[in-house]
Amino acid sequence: MNPAAPESGPSTRALRVVQWATGALGRSVIRGVLDRPDLELAGVRVYDPAKVGVDGGTLAGRDPAGVTATDDVTRILELDADCVVYAPGPFAMPFDDLDTVCALLASGKNVIATTGYVYPHSHGPRLVNQLEDACKRGGTSLHGLGVNPGFMSDVMPLTLSRLARQITHVYARECSDFSGHPSWRMVHDMAGFGKSEEAYLASMGVARAAMRSIFCESLHLVAAGLGLTLDEIDTDVVYRLAGEDFDVAAGRIPRGTVAAARWTFSGLIDQRPVVTVEAVHKSDAARISDWGRPGYSVRVHGRPSITLTTGEDWVSNGISAAAAHALNAIPVVCAAPAGIRTFLDLPPILGRASPRVTTG
Ligand SMILES: NC(=O)c1ccc[n+]([C@@H]2O[C@H](COP(=O)([O-])OP(=O)(O)OC[C@H]3O[C@@H](n4cnc5c(N)ncnc54)[C@H](OP(=O)(O)O)[C@@H]3O)[C@@H](O)[C@H]2O)c1
């Protein structure tokens, strides 16, 4: 349902939002929804049986919001809601959850995903047709976003590209420190930290497919934005082992287990890289000196060349930033015409000022 679609004029009522999964990001989204008068919490989907029946506000560390969390997908599909902020844990294989996303779209709810879907076209026409068909049935739109991917590897280079002509290469680099991330699922299961080398390599096929699936979307989005079509994408990964036992917020990284990895994805045309994304993930940046300090770097090689470099304090809280991106996108995505809507299709997504708020 697109209540704020241009043809029907701007929405005058609060947009009803479902939060799908209440991990670190989902809880931050709930707090943001509760703080914004233009948004209303309509539902909360949880996986953890211990969270079923708990109030969504309580789960997010706030006063009860009068919305009970459920693991019943049918109940969520039947809800009257404008938008789902879709932030489950990563799935075993890319698009294991495609049917769920399609069902949400077909049920009349716009979907903002933090799990890919930044440029679904990179996965070929079959996936695009399935998503477009679901959007058509529900009169809804789908938008994927985040901090990376979903901002630094794609939105930011495309934005910087406005200042250059004759662009020959676009490079984006992330170096992230996972030492403060609260989720073992993200740190261990997804990033692979704390796994023995043998276990890490055994899970490499799945990890490679998952990482490639999400980052190839950024590469193709940048290429499409610059008017290019990539021939292929090259993927490379190298990793480092922990030299000693140490603890991070999510758990223990034993000596000799995987402690850092550097992924490189290169979009090639005629065997020449034109878009490159490097993602360095460290379980604890203070202990792993390889591959530079945490932060981001974006370079657009052209006339002139543009470089943007940030240190590790570039954003005070990455999860909160990804959640804010989702929140700020809600009115724009709800107002968009039905269909897959990427950064290339949507008007600017902007933050909201709250000049009187001094804390929180
Ligand atoms: N692109 C970006 O920049 C960016 C940034 C941050 C996060 N993300 C993505 O957003 C998602 C959420 O991140 P997060 O930091 O909130 O992660 P998280 O803290 O690990 O939370 C993930 C949540 O997924 C749910 N879950 C549990 N079992 C599951 C299963 N079998 N299948 C699917 N979901 C399950 C749980 O929800 P309940 O606790 O409600 O049961 C869990 O809390 C992740 O996929 C992450 O990769 C992307």
Side-chain angles (χ1 to χ4, degrees), residues 118-119 121-122 153-167 170 216-230 269 274-275 300 342-345:
V118 167
Y119 193 67
H121 313 76
S122 60
S153 288
D154 33 55
V155 172
M156 186 54 97
L158 284 171
T159 304
L160 295 179
S161 76
R162 291 176 191 189
L163 303 182
R165 63 193 176 89
Q166 296 181 1
I167 294 166
V170 171
C216 82
E217 297 198 44
S218 294
L219 266 66
H220 282 290
L221 177 63
V222 171
L226 299 179
L228 301 170
T229 303
L230 300 176
I269 296 179
V274 288
V275 189
V300 177
T342 74
F343 170 71
L344 301 177
D345 308 306

Side-chain angles (χ1 to χ4, degrees), residues 22-25 46-48 51 87-89 114-115 147-149 183 185-186:
T22 60
L25 194 148
V46 290
Y47 291 78
D48 182 349
K51 293 184 176 179
T114 64
T115 55
V147 170
N148 196 38
S183 165
R185 191 182 161 86
M186 291 296 295

Side-chain angles (χ1 to χ4, degrees), residues 10-321:
S11 174
T12 51
R13 63 170 178 80
L15 295 167
R16 288 173 54 75
V17 179
V18 173
Q19 179 52 45
W20 189 286
T22 60
L25 194 148
R27 295 194 299 275
S28 182
V29 169
I30 291 176
R31 290 191 288 275
V33 169
L34 297 177
D35 288 344
R36 275 178 67 151
D38 60 332
L39 304 177
E40 179 186 340
L41 190 64
V44 177
R45 154 51 157 145
V46 290
Y47 291 78
D48 182 349
K51 293 184 176 179
V52 174
V54 180
D55 187 276
T58 309
L59 287 174
R62 290 289 180 86
D63 290 338
V67 178
T68 304
T70 180
D71 61 355
D72 183 344
V73 173
T74 309
R75 272 183 62 191
I76 296 285
L77 291 172
E78 286 171 358
L79 273 177
D80 170 25
D82 300 293
C83 186
V84 176
V85 176
Y86 184 74
F91 289 87
M93 288 301 287
F95 303 112
D96 266 2
D97 62 334
L98 183 61
D99 288 347
T100 306
V101 171
C102 287
L104 288 168
L105 290 166
S107 78
K109 295 164 195 63
N110 300 288
V111 173
I112 293 171
T114 64
T115 55
Y117 300 98
V118 167
Y119 193 67
H121 313 76
S122 60
H123 303 291
R126 193 159 160 226
L127 182 101
V128 167
N129 290 343
Q130 224 172 317
L131 290 168
E132 287 287 4
D133 181 57
C135 289
K136 202 168 159 191
R137 279 188 285 141
T140 51
S141 11
L142 167 68
H143 182 65
L145 50 62
V147 170
N148 196 38
F151 190 78
M152 282 312 265
S153 288
D154 33 55
V155 172
M156 186 54 97
L158 284 171
T159 304
L160 295 179
S161 76
R162 291 176 191 189
L163 303 182
R165 63 193 176 89
Q166 296 181 1
I167 294 166
T168 53
H169 185 231
V170 171
Y171 168 83
R173 174 180 188 275
E174 165 195 1
C175 178
S176 286
D177 180 9
F178 281 63
S179 61
H181 200 292
S183 165
W184 187 243
R185 191 182 161 86
M186 291 296 295
V187 170
H188 180 80
D189 301 351
M190 195 207 97
F193 301 146
K195 287 186 182 176
S196 68
E197 198 173 0
E198 194 184 12
Y200 185 74
L201 291 173
S203 64
M204 182 51 82
V206 172
R208 189 183 279 266
M211 287 292 281
R212 191 184 154 88
S213 164
I214 52 173
F215 279 105
C216 82
E217 297 198 44
S218 294
L219 266 66
H220 282 290
L221 177 63
V222 171
L226 299 179
L228 301 170
T229 303
L230 300 176
D231 296 335
E232 58 178 311
I233 290 180
D234 230 20
T235 306
D236 183 49
V237 57
V238 283
Y239 57 89
R240 294 285 184 270
L241 304 179
E244 58 186 337
D245 287 354
F246 59 88
D247 293 314
V248 293
R252 169 147 289 210
I253 310 296
R255 181 170 183 269
T257 65
V258 174
R262 184 186 66 187
W263 294 82
T264 308
F265 305 93
S266 297
L268 308 177
I269 296 179
D270 295 334
Q271 298 301 309
R272 201 177 60 80
V274 288
V275 189
T276 304
V277 171
E278 201 176 278
V280 175
H281 295 159
K282 300 186 180 188
S283 56
D284 185 348
R287 294 170 189 275
I288 295 139
S289 56
D290 291 329
W291 308 319
R293 299 290 310 152
Y296 284 86
S297 213
V298 179
R299 278 206 298 275
V300 177
H301 293 267
R303 288 186 181 206
S305 290
I306 316 283
T307 303
L308 177 111
T309 306
T310 69
E312 67 186 307
D313 57 352
W314 81 284
V315 55
S316 61
N317 184 322
I319 290 168
S320 171

